[in-house]
Amino acid sequence: MKRVLSIQDISCVGKCSLTVALPILSAAGLETVILPTAVLSAHTAFPGFTFRDLTDDIRPVTEHWKNQQITFDGLYTGYLGSFRQMQLVEQVFADFQHPGMLRFVDPAMGDNGKLYVGFDGAFARRMGKLCGKADMIVPNLTEAAFMLDEPYLEPGYTEEDIRELLKRLTGLGCGTAVLTGVSLEPGRCGVAALNQTTGELITCSSELLPVSFHGTGDVFASACFAGLMRGQDLETALQTAVDYTVEAMRCTLAHPDHNWYGVDFESAIPKLLELLNITCTPGSQH
Ligand code: PXL
């Protein structure tokens, strides 16, 4: 079984970051090691959330793993809360680097043209530097604009605009850039990716649902990373993640009293397993 590491916060309530990544990656048949960067009572869209910073534990924890010769097939980082955490993540990338290890960065910082509470332009530009050290990054249009310090691409953009934006993102230094929340046709929404070495533009889309939910970025990133770790090629992994995210949104909408703070990704897990061709044969996960 592949072993992966996910570095992000635990928002106890809110269905995001590690409470999304851990169940999705485990369901995908990946041994998932977690490195919580902070514990919040709830994610930062809740007023009055509590925040326990765990930055000082990152080094001792990873040093222990190194002493125990623990290795990873992939590293996946999400929401990070400070400049120091970004620098420590770069150190973790370097410490555990080996050929074939995938460094996957979701620069979770904002949405709908705005950064989340607590972030500013300088933080976003520093996140751009961390993205330069990754093999693959998955920003949305908001995060891309802030990392590159340029205006947010308003709806009405063309495929050429997206290709140029992806080129500037790969210019940060990452191998592959993926933009999420891209709509190139009326009534459809999905993702676009550029592979720096081949120059190929890949797009994947699904029907555009008339809603926007918190936490879909984390569901998408977790499923995309899971697909890649399960051996899917880029295009297949992107389609897996788009289809799973849309299914999670549909499951959420199916409950009239659904909560406002996250999507019903749990009910959509059977669909994820189907997309990943995972069956329950003993030993099949290895
Ligand atoms: O979904 C991204 C995310 C992760 N972690 C925390 C957040 C958010 C988004 O608001 O606040 C703490």
Side-chain angles (χ1 to χ4, degrees):
M1 189 181 287
K2 284 192 171 153
R3 185 187 302 115
V4 299
L5 166 62
S6 187
I7 309 177
Q8 35 191 328
D9 69 280
I10 294 181
S11 290
C12 300
V13 174
K15 304 223 244 184
C16 68
S17 40
L18 281 179
T19 65
V20 165
L22 178 58
I24 290 177
L25 299 176
S26 299
L30 299 163
E31 178 188 340
T32 306
V33 173
I34 56 167
L35 182 43
T37 52
V39 178
L40 291 82
S41 54
H43 65 52
T44 60
F46 283 83
F49 61 88
T50 71
F51 184 93
R52 167 79 56 199
D53 183 59
L54 298 176
T55 307
D56 288 341
D57 292 286
I58 295 177
R59 252 342 245 161
V61 167
T62 57
E63 282 300 311
H64 179 234
W65 293 340
K66 271 204 294 177
N67 290 339
Q68 295 300 307
Q69 276 106 41
I70 307 285
T71 58
F72 301 107
D73 297 295
L75 300 189
Y76 156 31
T77 72
Y79 182 100
L80 298 172
S82 65
F83 284 72
R84 216 172 125 234
Q85 286 185 355
M86 292 190 274
Q87 189 215 325
L88 284 161
V89 161
E90 288 176 356
Q91 185 69 49
V92 178
F93 281 0
D95 286 351
F96 289 90
Q97 186 54 36
H98 65 83
M101 187 187 78
L102 179 72
R103 292 159 302 182
F104 183 99
V105 172
D106 177 7
M109 288 182 297
D111 210 354
N112 303 313
K114 289 202 209 79
L115 292 174
Y116 298 138
V117 174
F119 295 139
D120 61 13
F123 185 92
R125 291 190 293 281
R126 177 64 183 85
M127 183 64 92
K129 208 172 140 235
L130 171 62
C131 283
K133 305 226 158 80
D135 300 300
M136 186 156 162
I137 63 170
V138 291
N140 58 31
L141 291 169
T142 304
E143 292 151 352
F146 278 100
M147 287 198 293
L148 294 167
D149 200 13
E150 56 182 56
Y152 172 64
L153 214 49
E154 298 287 349
Y157 47 77
T158 63
E159 185 175 304
E160 209 37 46
D161 295 330
I162 293 295
R163 183 192 291 276
E164 289 304 315
L165 179 51
L166 284 164
K167 270 195 207 151
R168 293 194 293 281
L169 285 169
T170 54
L172 293 169
C174 56
T176 299
V178 179
L179 271 170
T180 63
V182 171
S183 176
L184 291 170
E185 269 178 79
R188 296 196 69 79
C189 187
V191 301
L194 188 72
N195 183 307
Q196 199 187 25
T197 26
T198 62
E200 188 197 1
L201 182 78
I202 298 169
T203 58
C204 291
S205 69
S206 180
E207 70 170 305
L208 173 69
L209 298 178
V211 280
S212 155
F213 287 119
H214 199 277
T216 48
D218 296 355
V219 171
F220 171 84
S222 301
C224 179
F225 180 68
L228 294 167
M229 283 291 114
R230 291 290 308 195
Q232 291 188 330
D233 62 23
L234 176 61
E235 189 164 358
T236 313
L238 292 175
Q239 197 65 59
T240 291
V242 166
D243 291 348
Y244 173 57
T245 306
V246 170
E247 180 72 6
M249 291 172 77
R250 279 202 200 101
C251 290
T252 313
L253 284 171
H255 298 285
D257 59 344
H258 64 76
N259 64 54
W260 62 271
Y261 52 76
V263 284
D264 194 356
F265 72 92
E266 301 92 335
S267 306
I269 281 181
K271 171 83 174 182
L272 176 66
L273 302 192
E274 195 188 297
L275 291 161
L276 293 172
N277 291 318
I278 292 179
T279 51
C280 205
T281 318
S284 66
Q285 311 290 304
H286 286 265

